[in-house]
Amino acid sequence: MLKAFASEPGYVASGLAHAAVLLVALVSFADAPKFDPALESVPVEILTDKQFNEITKGEKTAKAPAPQPTRVDKVADVVEPKPTPPKQEAKVEVPTPPPPLKRIPDPADDDEPEPPKPTPPQRVAALPPPRPAPEPPKPVPQPRPADPPKAEAVEPPKPPERPKPETKPTPPVPPKQEAKATPTPPTPPKPKTDDKAKPDQLAKLIDSKAAADAAKPAARPRASETPSQARAFDAGSIASALSHEPAQQRAAAGRALNQTASIGAPTANAPRMSPSMWGQLDGFLQEQYKQCWTYLGIGGGQKYVPQIKVTFTQAGGLVGQPELLNRPSDPNMRSLAESAIRAVKKCDPLRIPAQYAPFYNEWKARILRFDPEEMAG
Amino acid sequence: MNPAEIASGALGAPVEVSLWSMFWGAHFVVKLVMLGLLGASVWCWAIIINKSILFTRTNSAMDKFEEAFWSGNSLEELYQSLSAKPTTAMASLFVAAMREWKRSFANAGSAFMGLQARIEKVLDVSIAREIERLESQLLVLASVASAGPFVGLFGTVWGIMTSFRSIAASKNTSLAVVAPGIAEALFATAIGLFAAIPALIFYNILQGKVARSQARMESFADEFSSILSRQIDHHVASERDRAA
């Protein structure tokens, strides 16, 4: 064996070498090198406030926002509650009249028709109670029911003075009107009897014409009272309705956000032209004016560059007359200035690429410099 | 490669990826491949070392023999000194040819007619034997060089298969789950390349050395056979003179 190893030491040597290599590998692989926690680089752009505002200005080419069906539901929800509250309030306000009942005793004590009269107008102006107002006199007339016959008795003698039919129809009219007016209020039939008593009182107090006149205005205010009452009710209902609405409005506002940002005006100057775009535009203008400008001037020692202020339309046409900013002091140079103005006029509809359309506000007013040395090339 | 272990490993502390754990965590087949490739590598290197030693010895022996052969000493003396001990390469050729020569002369009157052919035959045979001795086991290197990467690749494929199965089982594709299995699998290919690359390089080197020593021996055999044929012709002429 030893001899064999001596003659062929390869196996021993190879085995030993492999063992050594494995050992080294074991040691070196013992701890895998961990990657450094890679910091992901995030591209950051620094914007000035101005740039930020420009970004958020909105797009000009946006289409008109289509009406969203989702909003309809919310709107309907909002509409429904509105009609209901006034009804409830109308019912609710019926009980309110009772306060006048308190006043009833006062006129009763006075036994005077006058005190109640001033009160109704005040109430009509202020609040719906006008109807209850006429009621207070009711108790007063009650002692007078005996009077109506008197009044009737008085009236017959009057008719001879004037045609009877005129007077006769008048008394029935007011009650009809009153009857019409009476159903509208929810008040029980009691007021009807009272109302009937009213015209009687009026008739007593005033002549038949006066009574008719008085009855008409009385009826008018009553007819107008219903709208006024409605207005008054609305005024009351708004307060109560407001308490209900806020929740609905919040929901509507919460769901249907204004998804369409404000669409910029077509001439808003939100986008800015980059320097390269400026350069391109200058190139375009220079190229076009070069073709229009023909000036065979004398290369004078005096350097004069006519500056012409031009205002363009969006299509590239001229607005108004080109204005020469620096008039040449040297009369020889006047031809150069005139040739420049001619060139501007000749090139009237400038071809301005469509890509500059959004930046119209920036290039609409330009000061063109017609440098003979540059343009000659 | 238990999926549960992998899952727990992924959730818990970072998986240990030392060489030993990579080997120990591998599938049985992959382990077998790794061990086989490691054995092949050991064998290849043993062959490389042995052959390198053998070739240097053979070369030095041939140098020494040629020096002795062309020194002008009597071939008889050279034969006496060499035939006593085992010989290598050219010396063995010389001894074999001289033995045949002597045997022909020992039986007096035996025909010189076939002696030339016989000597050449003997030389060819001994060259073939020497080359075979030098070339032996070089085929192992060739086999390992060509098959090693494939065997390693087989281990890798198997390991990746199992690691994918474990992904499917654990329903987790995080790198912590996938990486250990793939590292194990790639380890097999690494061992395969580790064995195959030196085998391929040294196979080519040793093959070149074998070819060179073969050429050297053949040239020596040609020279020696020409010397012997001259001797034979000289002998035949002297015999004819004696007879005349």
Side-chain angles (χ1 to χ4, degrees):
Chain A
M1 284 293 282
L2 285 171
K3 278 182 184 174
F5 282 136
S7 65
E8 291 192 335
Y11 290 99
V12 178
S14 166
L16 286 175
H18 277 83
V21 167
L22 275 178
L23 213 72
V24 169
L26 273 174
V27 171
S28 67
F29 268 74
D31 51 339
K34 284 166 188 167
F35 294 116
D36 297 331
L39 295 172
E40 288 184 12
S41 60
V42 178
V44 175
E45 283 182 25
I46 297 170
L47 296 178
T48 61
D49 288 347
K50 190 184 173 193
Q51 286 170 321
F52 184 73
N53 289 337
E54 283 165 1
I55 285 169
T56 55
K57 199 136 187 177
E59 35 181 1
K60 295 169 183 172
T61 56
K63 292 174 182 173
Q68 294 179 344
T70 52
R71 286 185 183 176
V72 174
D73 296 337
K74 289 153 198 168
V75 170
D77 290 342
V78 174
V79 169
E80 285 171 5
K82 277 179 180 174
T84 51
K87 289 173 184 172
Q88 292 170 351
E89 283 147 18
K91 290 168 185 173
V92 170
E93 284 202 3
V94 175
T96 53
L101 290 172
K102 293 172 185 176
R103 295 165 192 169
I104 294 167
D106 298 335
D109 294 340
D110 296 337
D111 287 341
E112 292 173 5
E114 292 175 3
K117 285 176 183 173
T119 49
Q122 289 172 358
R123 286 170 189 172
V124 168
L127 283 167
R131 285 181 185 173
E135 290 170 1
K138 295 160 191 173
V140 180
Q142 280 175 354
R144 294 173 189 171
D147 297 341
K150 292 174 184 176
E152 290 171 359
V154 173
E155 284 171 345
K158 287 175 182 176
E161 297 172 357
R162 295 171 187 176
K164 288 178 183 177
E166 290 178 358
T167 55
K168 284 177 182 176
T170 49
V173 173
K176 286 175 185 174
Q177 290 175 348
E178 286 161 8
K180 289 174 185 173
T182 46
T184 52
T187 50
K190 289 176 183 177
K192 289 177 182 175
T193 56
D194 296 340
D195 290 341
K196 286 174 181 174
K198 289 174 196 171
D200 296 340
Q201 295 168 7
L202 294 168
K204 291 173 192 172
L205 295 169
I206 314 164
D207 294 345
S208 62
K209 289 180 182 177
D213 294 339
K216 287 171 185 174
R220 284 171 190 167
R222 280 169 195 164
S224 66
E225 271 168 19
T226 47
S228 71
Q229 282 169 5
R231 286 171 198 162
F233 285 139
D234 286 343
S237 69
I238 287 165
S240 60
L242 281 173
S243 63
H244 295 292
E245 282 176 8
Q248 294 163 350
Q249 283 180 343
R250 276 173 206 159
R255 283 185 198 168
L257 284 172
N258 252 359
Q259 290 179 341
T260 51
S262 59
I263 299 165
T267 56
N269 59 351
R272 309 282 296 188
M273 278 169 73
S274 63
S276 63
M277 289 185 79
W278 274 117
Q280 273 183 310
L281 182 63
D282 287 342
F284 278 123
L285 296 181
Q286 191 173 349
E287 195 179 327
Q288 290 179 46
Y289 281 123
K290 205 183 279 184
Q291 290 170 359
C292 302
W293 193 28
T294 50
Y295 172 64
L296 301 171
I298 315 113
Q302 196 179 354
K303 170 94 175 173
Y304 169 67
V305 176
Q307 295 183 357
I308 300 173
K309 187 179 181 183
V310 187
T311 309
F312 295 111
T313 63
Q314 267 190 299
L318 281 179
V319 174
Q321 288 292 318
E323 181 187 350
L324 184 64
L325 291 179
N326 52 345
R327 297 214 159 275
S329 54
D330 184 358
N332 295 332
M333 292 298 169
R334 200 160 292 160
S335 63
L336 172 59
E338 281 166 3
S339 75
I341 291 173
R342 268 203 309 280
V344 171
K345 284 179 179 171
K346 192 178 174 187
C347 272
D348 186 356
L350 275 177
R351 295 187 310 279
I352 290 177
Q355 55 173 324
Y356 294 104
F359 308 104
Y360 169 65
N361 272 12
E362 288 192 70
W363 54 260
K364 68 179 176 184
R366 294 302 308 277
I367 293 173
L368 305 169
R369 290 167 52 84
F370 285 77
D371 192 340
E373 291 174 10
E374 282 181 23
M375 287 288 192
Chain B
M1 290 299 259
N2 189 353
E5 282 176 6
I6 283 171
S8 68
L11 293 173
V15 182
E16 193 189 1
V17 282
S18 72
L19 212 62
W20 179 250
S21 70
M22 258 157 58
F23 170 75
W24 202 242
H27 188 264
F28 172 72
V29 173
V30 182
K31 260 185 216 170
L32 214 65
V33 166
M34 286 179 184
L35 285 176
L37 287 171
L38 203 66
S41 178
V42 171
W43 194 11
C44 282
W45 276 101
I47 290 166
I48 288 162
I49 292 165
N50 286 338
K51 287 293 161 190
S52 302
I53 292 168
L54 178 65
F55 287 164
T56 48
R57 276 183 189 166
T58 308
N59 257 340
S60 64
M62 284 197 290
D63 290 343
K64 212 181 284 174
F65 174 78
E66 279 195 323
E67 201 182 328
F69 185 78
W70 298 112
S71 64
N73 291 341
S74 160
L75 290 181
E76 196 69 29
E77 285 174 13
L78 193 62
Y79 172 71
Q80 292 298 335
S81 66
L82 287 175
S83 60
K85 54 191 177 183
T87 54
T88 57
M90 277 189 210
S92 62
L93 295 185
F94 171 74
V95 168
M98 282 300 284
R99 192 178 291 137
E100 186 59 37
W101 170 269
K102 283 206 163 269
R103 214 175 275 159
S104 300
F105 274 89
N107 316 341
S110 65
F112 285 97
M113 306 301 290
L115 183 58
Q116 180 68 29
R118 278 204 301 279
I119 284 171
E120 286 194 357
K121 210 76 170 168
V122 164
L123 281 172
D124 281 349
V125 167
S126 48
I127 284 173
R129 197 183 297 132
E130 283 300 307
I131 292 301
E132 197 261 318
R133 198 168 65 86
L134 289 174
E135 227 175 18
S136 71
Q137 291 187 319
L138 279 187
L139 276 181
V140 172
L141 290 185
S143 305
V144 170
S146 57
F150 290 117
V151 176
L153 199 65
F154 169 69
T156 296
V157 169
W158 193 277
I160 286 179
M161 253 164 58
T162 48
S163 91
F164 271 116
R165 277 172 56 212
S166 70
I167 289 169
S170 63
K171 291 185 173 60
N172 189 352
T173 55
S174 77
L175 212 56
V177 171
V178 181
I182 290 176
E184 283 163 16
L186 291 177
F187 188 42
T189 299
I191 296 177
L193 293 175
F194 178 75
I197 291 170
L200 184 63
I201 292 170
F202 279 97
Y203 174 74
N204 288 331
I205 291 171
L206 296 177
Q207 200 65 44
K209 279 183 178 175
V210 167
R212 222 174 300 140
S213 43
Q214 186 180 359
R216 200 171 168 186
M217 277 191 280
E218 273 174 357
S219 66
F220 169 74
D222 287 347
E223 279 183 37
F224 190 50
S225 75
S226 69
I227 289 168
L228 285 182
S229 99
R230 204 182 306 130
Q231 286 292 323
I232 288 164
D233 287 352
H234 186 65
H235 206 80
V236 168
S238 63
E239 284 283 318
R240 203 176 296 147
D241 291 345
R242 208 179 294 162

